[in-house]
Amino acid sequence: MFLQKIIGAFLVTPGLFILLLIVGSFFFKKARWFLLALAVTAYLFSSYVGEFLFLWSLEKNLDVPATLPNDAVIVVLGGGVERNTKAGDNLSDATLRRLLTGVQIYQKTKMPILVTGGSLTGLRPEAMIMKDYLVSLGVPEEKITVEDRSRNTYENAFFTREKIGDVPIILVTDSIHMRRAVFTFKSFFQSVTPYPAGFYFGDPEFVDFLPNATSFYLNSRAIYEWIGLVWYNFRWR
């Protein structure tokens, strides 16, 4: 079984790309160390080793809060829309995870929900699609506020403050995105309670140390967040 998993990991990307780099290093001797360095880098970006380096530190100080503030607003950040599919505009898996977490909080507290997310291309704003989904899950329309102008995390916070003022908020987004989101929202709100929509980093299995697309996706997102944190600190500190 282990041998099957190992072979399978190197027959598809990103493992196949790593294998080609290693094989190429034997044929292109002048570029051998460069190709091997690329192979090691690709492995780090696509395995549990990379998750430990890039992802773990984003999640390590996060927990689901045991208590929540009274009279707060549940603020759910958009995480993307898959446009013009055969079923129309579909919310991404990240957005659905955030919305479901927001609904769970609503069911416990009956606090109002604000959904935030615009459109980069002039199509129907993400927040409007999020609202429709919330209504389909039984959240009353009068409990939902829509912020549909924002195009990034900073604008999420800026336009949310314009909508509801400086009230306590329960901030719902991915654990990977939460650190940058909290940093940004605390520039506009005095009381921000982070509520992660699930976690990604956990104890590894053998297959997690093999190159895999899931680790590559998570590590890419984590690296993007670290770059974003540096940029936001530089620009708005």
Side-chain angles (χ1 to χ4, degrees), residues 127-155:
M128 294 300 298
I129 304 171
M130 295 167 71
K131 176 187 175 182
D132 291 346
Y133 192 86
L134 289 175
V135 171
S136 73
L137 291 177
V139 180
E141 192 168 352
E142 62 271 16
K143 284 283 192 176
I144 305 170
T145 300
V146 173
E147 185 291 295
D148 60 2
R149 298 163 61 191
S150 56
R151 297 163 298 176
N152 54 46
T153 304
Y154 179 84
E155 291 185 358

Side-chain angles (χ1 to χ4, degrees), residues 12 16 21 34 44 47 49 55 65-66 98 107 117-118 125 133 154 169 171 173 182 193 198 203 228 234:
V12 296
L16 179 61
L21 288 172
F34 175 72
L44 289 177
S47 70
V49 178
L55 175 60
R98 300 174 191 187
Q107 290 173 340
Y133 192 86
Y154 179 84
I169 65 169
L171 187 61
T173 188
V182 169
T193 302
D203 294 333
F234 174 76

Side-chain angles (χ1 to χ4, degrees), residues 7 10 24 42 50 52 55-56 60 81 87-88 94-95 125 139 147 174 179 192-193 213 217 224-225 229:
I7 294 173
F10 287 96
F52 181 79
L55 175 60
W56 170 73
K60 66 177 180 178
V81 178
T95 305
V139 180
E147 185 291 295
D174 284 289
R179 187 164 176 167
V192 178
T193 302
Y217 167 72
Y224 177 86
E225 287 302 320
L229 276 166

Side-chain angles (χ1 to χ4, degrees), residues 21-98:
L21 288 172
I22 294 173
V23 172
S25 69
F26 289 99
F27 291 94
F28 301 97
K29 295 183 179 181
K30 290 184 178 180
R32 173 175 295 176
W33 293 111
F34 175 72
L35 293 175
L36 289 176
L38 283 180
V40 171
T41 302
Y43 172 74
L44 289 177
F45 285 178
S46 60
S47 70
Y48 181 84
V49 178
E51 290 183 39
F52 181 79
L53 293 174
F54 307 120
L55 175 60
W56 170 73
S57 51
L58 288 173
E59 290 191 348
K60 66 177 180 178
N61 294 323
L62 283 177
D63 290 295
V64 174
T67 59
L68 297 173
N70 297 320
D71 301 320
V73 175
I74 305 163
V75 176
V76 183
L77 306 189
V81 178
E82 296 162 358
R83 298 285 186 182
N84 299 319
T85 72
K86 291 182 178 180
D89 291 342
N90 293 333
L91 296 174
S92 69
D93 291 344
T95 305
L96 288 173
R97 181 193 289 257
R98 300 174 191 187

